Amino acid sequence: MKFKCLAILITSALLLSGAAIGQDGASKTSQPVQSPAANDPNYVIGAEDLLAISVWKEPDLTRSVPVRPDGKISLPLIDEVKAEGLTPKQLETELTKRFSQYIASPQVSVIVADVRSRTFSIVGEVNRPGSFPLRQKLTVLEALAAAGGFKDFAKTKRIYVLRLNADGTRSRLPFSYNRVIKGEETAQNVELQSHDTIVVP
């Protein structure tokens, strides 16, 4: 019961700060969520991301397009273009080159309007397990609160984060909820990365 109350308090604070995530995984903020990629020149576009592509004085070419699972986007005149793995600036350069075959001196801009390739998951004894979009900085504690807190028999001392490494292996990061909320072991309250999985036994 004590843990449920704490989770409710944390969730309320997140709602007030605009950082909570709804049951459907959508961000519940009083202001529209700005994509972290919009201001990050080093952001690497991923599959499922939504891109806003603008070609100056060419309204027929200006549109929002999703990155398909194969990493490509489809645009008029130039058909398919590989977007996954590129930064927005690199994609701008590639689109400018492609459009130059049909338009004199095209001015192209690319903005990541919605980050959909970055997600994390919560499994186990929480009230709302599932996969959630990682649109902003989020710690383990905030993610647990966003998942609605714990079920009655959750083993809150044995929570851990499974993190995908670059070589395909996974690391196990311990998280003791009881210690963290007491101000102990605060280093365990790490910022989540894409494809992290929080496991609540």
Side-chain angles (χ1 to χ4, degrees):
M1 187 67 182
K2 176 175 65 176
F3 297 136
K4 283 189 174 181
C5 292
L6 285 167
I8 291 170
L9 288 171
I10 294 169
T11 304
S12 300
L14 288 169
L15 285 168
L16 289 172
S17 66
I21 297 174
Q23 187 170 357
D24 60 356
S27 177
K28 300 291 185 181
T29 59
S30 56
Q31 298 293 331
V33 176
Q34 184 181 27
S35 162
N39 297 315
D40 183 1
N42 298 316
Y43 178 80
V44 177
I45 297 168
E48 310 297 340
D49 283 346
L50 183 66
L51 307 180
I53 296 176
S54 175
V55 184
W56 191 56
K57 290 188 176 181
E58 298 290 342
D60 291 340
L61 302 178
T62 296
R63 59 190 62 204
S64 294
V65 294
V67 182
R68 302 197 308 255
D70 64 1
K72 296 180 180 180
I73 58 174
S74 296
L75 292 168
L77 297 180
I78 59 177
D79 198 18
E80 295 185 339
V81 180
K82 182 75 170 179
E84 184 179 20
L86 302 179
T87 65
K89 186 62 67 177
Q90 289 171 332
L91 183 56
E92 284 179 8
T93 301
E94 179 62 22
L95 294 179
T96 299
K97 183 174 70 174
R98 298 282 193 97
F99 280 127
S100 294
Q101 301 175 38
Y102 308 94
I103 303 168
S105 303
Q107 296 183 36
V108 182
S109 67
V110 176
I111 295 174
V112 181
D114 192 4
V115 175
R116 298 175 178 175
S117 60
R118 292 172 54 84
T119 61
F120 70 94
S121 299
I122 304 180
V123 299
E125 297 299 302
V126 291
N127 290 311
R128 291 198 298 270
S131 180
F132 300 88
L134 187 60
R135 296 192 177 103
Q136 58 204 49
K137 292 182 178 180
L138 204 68
T139 65
V140 178
L141 190 60
E142 290 169 335
L144 290 169
F150 306 112
K151 292 184 178 179
D152 290 339
F153 299 105
K155 297 178 177 63
T156 56
K157 295 180 180 179
R158 295 170 55 189
I159 298 169
Y160 59 92
V161 178
L162 281 178
R163 174 157 294 174
L164 183 64
N165 300 317
D167 60 1
T169 61
R170 285 189 179 271
S171 300
R172 180 167 168 158
L173 310 178
F175 179 87
S176 175
Y177 178 84
N178 307 60
R179 288 178 175 272
V180 171
I181 63 172
K182 290 178 182 178
E184 305 169 3
E185 304 290 350
T186 54
Q188 293 185 357
N189 191 28
V190 297
E191 183 180 317
L192 293 179
Q193 296 180 7
S194 185
H195 307 304
D196 278 354
T197 298
I198 301 173
V199 180
V200 182

